[in-house]
Amino acid sequence: MSSDMFLGYYGTYKRFDTVSKKDAPQLLGADNLVGDRFEIEFITKNGVSTAWMKNRFGGLVGYFDPETSRQLQIFQARGWVVTALLSFVASSNQGANRSYWGEAALVCYDPSDHGEAFDAFVATIGEMMRESIRPDISLGKDGVSHIVSSGGTWKPTGRIPLPKTDDNTAILKQGRSLNESLVEQARKGNKGCYLLSWIFILAVVAALVAVGWLLLSSFGVI
């Protein structure tokens, strides 16, 4: 366990997994955006508690391994804020099976000690992650001091690279697309962005139809 916990703060990146490939559409959709903040919900089965990521719409999208779950449960028992931010989503082929997984930035902190600054810091790193930036959040005393002194607006300069993958694994989502950003703005009440998101989708569909028509024409099918 990181020594950062003794500073009233703990941050790291951890892998999460999904139950089956049926979870993929939800995880890849606009309800689960990179940089989004997720609650941690513990589900106990056969005496074992597992930490799940729950999005803002109440959907459970992925779970953490037993060691990570135990660690998060300890923080929660201490009264700390325990939260996660989606970093990326990946897909792996394992023989005849395909699995979907990813990583989340886990940020835990004592709300009684500069809680507002840490809340703001979570929002700050979420903004960075939307731009496909993976800031180093495993901060020591100096980093925590920067968070407090800046009121949470300080941006870590260190970066964490994506994990190495093999030919059987693909990173499907590691930032926000234009359409996802437009959808998010529409949810905030920006009707213009809502209209633009539909225009964008229709333009993509039209382009695909045009390409298909050209291919069929070139082969003399039509």
Side-chain angles (χ1 to χ4, degrees):
M1 186 173 290
S2 170
S3 61
D4 298 352
M5 64 170 289
F6 298 110
L7 302 171
Y9 168 87
Y10 173 81
T12 191
Y13 288 87
K14 288 291 185 179
R15 171 175 172 149
F16 67 84
D17 288 282
T18 61
V19 174
S20 71
K21 61 183 181 182
K22 294 180 180 178
D23 301 311
Q26 177 186 212
L27 192 57
L28 294 173
D31 286 355
N32 300 287
L33 303 177
V34 170
D36 266 2
R37 185 169 182 169
F38 291 72
E39 295 181 25
I40 298 296
E41 180 169 314
F42 294 94
I43 297 178
T44 302
K45 186 176 182 180
N46 298 324
V48 178
S49 292
T50 300
W52 283 77
M53 292 170 60
K54 183 169 74 173
N55 67 19
R56 54 187 157 155
F57 304 103
L60 299 176
V61 300
Y63 64 91
F64 295 99
D65 61 73
E67 175 58 27
T68 300
S69 296
R70 185 189 69 82
Q71 200 171 33
L72 295 178
Q73 198 166 32
I74 291 173
F75 288 136
Q76 186 186 68
R78 292 178 176 176
W80 285 26
V81 173
V82 178
T83 193
L85 295 96
L86 181 62
S87 174
F88 71 81
V89 179
S91 173
S92 296
N93 284 324
Q94 300 171 331
N97 299 318
R98 178 179 289 275
S99 63
Y100 292 86
W101 58 281
E103 278 192 358
L106 296 178
V107 182
C108 310
Y109 52 92
D110 184 353
S112 66
D113 188 11
H114 304 289
E116 291 184 359
F118 287 115
D119 281 339
F121 178 67
V122 171
T124 297
I125 62 174
E127 292 172 359
M128 297 176 71
M129 294 169 71
R130 292 170 199 167
E131 303 298 326
S132 302
I133 298 171
R134 281 164 54 91
D136 186 353
I137 56 172
S138 58
L139 309 175
K141 184 177 179 180
D142 289 343
V144 171
S145 295
H146 287 315
I147 293 174
V148 174
S149 63
S150 70
T153 62
W154 173 72
K155 295 181 178 181
T157 56
R159 300 290 181 261
I160 299 297
L162 289 168
K164 293 182 179 179
T165 58
D166 55 29
D167 293 338
N168 296 318
T169 297
I171 304 294
L172 305 178
K173 191 175 185 178
Q174 58 177 311
R176 288 199 185 181
S177 67
L178 174 60
N179 188 53
E180 286 178 332
S181 297
L182 291 173
V183 169
E184 186 63 12
Q185 287 298 316
R187 284 173 172 159
K188 294 178 180 178
N190 190 327
K191 295 182 179 179
C193 285
Y194 179 76
L195 178 61
L196 284 174
S197 68
W198 274 106
I199 292 174
F200 176 80
I201 292 171
L202 291 174
V204 171
V205 171
L208 291 174
V209 171
V211 170
W213 186 86
L214 288 172
L215 289 174
L216 291 174
S217 297
S218 65
F219 287 104
V221 177
I222 58 174

